[in-house]
Amino acid sequence: MGSGLPVLATVNKGNDIVDIIDSYGVGRVHTADSTMSLCELAKSLLADLDEGSQYHVRCKKLFNDHFSTEIAVKNIVNALC
C-alpha cells in the first residue's frame, strides 16, 4: 500500500478488508473457492493497470489513512489512555 501497489487478495467471506479494498478502489478481492474466478479478477486488475488507472494514488491514500506510522502511534496512545 505505502508503495502504491494494487491489491489482489483472497480472503474468507465476511472479512472486513473486503469493504476497505472496495471502498478505496485499491484492487480486487476474492472470497470464493474458485481459482478460475481469482484468475479472472487478476486479469481484470491487469487490464485496469494497462488503462492507466490511478491505483498508486488510492493505495497511498489508504495507507496514509489507516496504516501510516502516525496512525499507528495514535491508535497505541488511544488504547493506553
Side-chain angles (χ1 to χ4, degrees):
M1 288 287 136
S3 297
L5 298 175
V7 174
L8 178 63
T10 299
V11 299
N12 296 330
K13 289 181 183 178
N15 192 315
D16 61 344
I17 195 70
V18 173
D19 294 333
I20 294 171
I21 291 170
D22 287 342
S23 67
Y24 275 85
V26 294
R28 302 289 190 278
V29 61
H30 179 263
T31 59
D33 292 332
S34 168
T35 55
M36 290 306 295
S37 60
L38 179 61
C39 182
E40 291 304 315
L41 282 178
K43 289 177 184 178
S44 172
L45 180 60
L46 286 172
D48 279 356
L49 293 172
D50 286 344
E51 293 175 5
S53 63
Q54 297 293 310
Y55 279 103
H56 64 284
V57 174
R58 294 189 302 269
C59 288
K60 288 180 181 183
K61 176 163 178 34
L62 171 58
F63 177 81
N64 289 329
D65 288 354
H66 294 280
F67 304 110
S68 68
T69 305
E70 292 82 9
I71 294 297
V73 169
K74 286 179 186 177
N75 290 338
I76 292 168
V77 169
N78 288 337
L80 295 173
C81 295

